[in-house]
Amino acid sequence: MSLITVGTMAFDAIETPFGKVDKIVGGSATYVAYAASNFLQPIHQISIIGNDFPKEEIEALERRGVKLDGVEVVADKKSFFWSGKYHLDMNTRDTLVTDLNVLADFNPIVPDSYQDSEFLMLGNLMPKLQLSVINQMKVRPKLIVMDTMNFWMDIALDDLKEVLKKVDVLLVNDGEARQLSGEFSLVKAARKIMEMGPQFLIIKKGEHGALLFHKHHVFFAPALPLEEVFDPTGAGDTFAGGFIGHLAKTKDISFENMKTAIIVGSALASFCVEKFGPERMKEITKEDIDERIREFVQLVNFDIDLV
Ligand code: AMP
């Protein structure tokens, strides 16, 4: 069972109420790969980097079973750069800079060695490029999951709607669900978005957990109340990597198993926010993840006698 992950590999500059970094490795595909590689390997990565992407970061990904045949290296250009500043609540942020750099001319190619993949994770990226990857697959993957963000809704809404017609699961945050649907109620928003294509919709609500919608069913996964939240960057991508990693490992794409997968995604995301960038994702072990999933079970487990 194998997984393709598509997205950005980037440098980020991040400011949170607890600190600031001017240049740290990030990108949607980086976080997805770190999270998913806890559940299955190899991960088949598709992305683009410039001449400035550190060799040690490439090697760290390779050690995690991330195959980089689909990652284009452009010798005379810089990697994608993103800069964001978090508000005091850490749930909302302003994007300060989005420098596309190498991404401006990116034309993703699915290598032949990736063609048999049954799971496709379209991380946050230009919708046109997400669509190009879907169209290059000779056999449609068993499950296509897509992440996106308000940035693409603002500048490429028509393309985004085209991709939506072809995916099974969409991941967005609550603000993006409202923007995409024009509805304030998340239940109404979910209904409208599912009419656009995806059969399953996950609405992330930061420290307030995540909702999974499918037909008329809805399931809620809390976020673990954490003592320290240092940097939420990449939490959404890490959630996505944990979610699809669990589904690909268990080979089960039922709604019931997706409930478990959003708990797994939430557990992974709870590690990501504990340090700047993907640092914490590099440290955690299977035991750490299992222990955290147990904490989630405790968090929502209760008995009641209804008489
Ligand atoms: P998240 O916090 O999960 O939304 O992901 C943040 C990561 O997404 C950062 O590491 C950025 O490099 C990357 N990113 C930010 N903006 C974009 C964008 N417009 N397209 C693709 N990746 C982005």
Side-chain angles (χ1 to χ4, degrees):
M1 195 64 48
S2 56
L3 167 66
I4 298 180
T5 56
V6 187
T8 50
M9 292 172 74
F11 283 117
D12 294 339
I14 304 161
E15 190 174 340
T16 80
F18 303 104
K20 199 174 163 188
V21 280
D22 289 335
K23 198 176 183 188
I24 192 165
V25 159
S28 53
T30 307
Y31 286 103
V32 171
Y34 270 115
S37 61
N38 288 292
F39 303 95
L40 82 162
Q41 295 184 8
I43 303 291
H44 292 131
Q45 186 97 318
I46 297 182
S47 190
I48 189 165
I49 53 177
N51 55 11
D52 49 358
F53 205 82
K55 197 164 159 258
E56 357 20 300
E57 296 291 343
I58 297 279
E59 288 166 358
L61 283 165
E62 282 173 336
R63 280 197 300 277
R64 297 289 296 246
V66 183
K67 296 274 178 233
L68 302 168
D69 309 19
V71 177
E72 188 185 337
V73 185
V74 183
D76 58 349
K77 281 203 177 145
K78 286 187 185 171
S79 302
F80 175 67
F81 175 78
W82 174 80
S83 161
K85 182 175 177 180
Y86 288 85
H87 300 167
L88 261 184
D89 68 1
M90 297 281 255
N91 259 343
T92 47
R93 70 183 176 204
D94 294 324
T95 288
L96 305 179
V97 182
T98 302
D99 281 341
L100 295 180
N101 300 327
V102 286
L103 209 60
D105 308 310
F106 186 32
N107 175 25
I109 306 290
V110 179
D112 280 346
S113 55
Y114 289 16
Q115 277 294 348
D116 59 351
S117 298
E118 292 185 83
F119 288 80
L120 173 58
M121 177 67 231
L122 299 169
N124 186 18
L125 188 69
M126 279 109 145
K128 245 195 182 106
L129 303 188
Q130 294 176 316
L131 191 61
S132 151
V133 171
I134 298 177
N135 289 340
Q136 287 176 57
M137 296 302 294
K138 291 182 185 144
V139 180
R140 189 196 191 274
K142 188 168 158 182
L143 190 78
I144 304 179
V145 180
M146 173 194 183
D147 189 12
T148 190
M149 76 186 294
N150 52 354
F151 184 76
W152 304 117
M153 293 175 194
D154 293 338
I155 68 165
L157 186 59
D158 289 345
D159 293 340
L160 183 68
K161 287 188 172 167
E162 277 310 300
V163 196
L164 280 178
K165 289 181 193 158
K166 304 209 167 191
V167 305
D168 302 300
V169 185
L170 174 71
L171 289 140
V172 280
N173 67 31
D174 43 359
E176 290 156 353
R178 290 186 171 117
Q179 180 172 348
L180 185 59
S181 63
E183 293 285 352
F184 181 78
S185 149
L186 292 181
V187 175
K188 284 187 183 163
R191 202 178 305 135
K192 270 201 176 169
I193 294 171
M194 286 189 288
E195 280 166 10
M196 297 177 191
Q199 286 192 54
F200 299 88
L201 172 70
I202 295 170
I203 300 183
K204 299 167 289 177
K205 291 161 64 68
E207 65 169 331
H208 305 298
L211 293 160
L212 167 67
F213 293 89
H214 174 54
K215 295 185 177 157
H216 53 274
H217 305 290
V218 54
F219 176 72
F220 171 69
L224 201 65
L226 292 171
E227 213 165 301
E228 310 262 18
V229 175
F230 217 68
D231 169 22
T233 307
D237 310 311
T238 303
F239 177 99
F243 172 79
I244 199 158
H246 172 79
L247 295 178
K249 177 186 163 191
T250 53
K251 308 181 179 91
D252 174 356
I253 57 169
S254 65
F255 179 70
E256 282 308 307
N257 198 38
M258 284 193 196
K259 290 182 184 176
T260 312
I262 70 168
I263 299 284
V264 172
S266 304
L268 268 285
S270 76
F271 287 111
C272 176
V273 303
E274 290 177 340
K275 287 192 176 172
F276 266 110
E279 286 314 301
R280 189 75 178 111
M281 300 312 295
K282 295 179 184 174
E283 301 168 348
I284 54 170
T285 61
K286 178 166 187 320
E287 288 68 41
D288 295 327
I289 296 171
D290 289 351
E291 180 52 36
R292 202 143 281 186
I293 292 173
R294 272 183 222 112
E295 287 180 46
F296 270 84
V297 174
Q298 283 309 313
L299 185 67
V300 289
N301 198 9
F302 65 92
D303 289 322
I304 185 165
D305 280 328
L306 290 173
V307 280

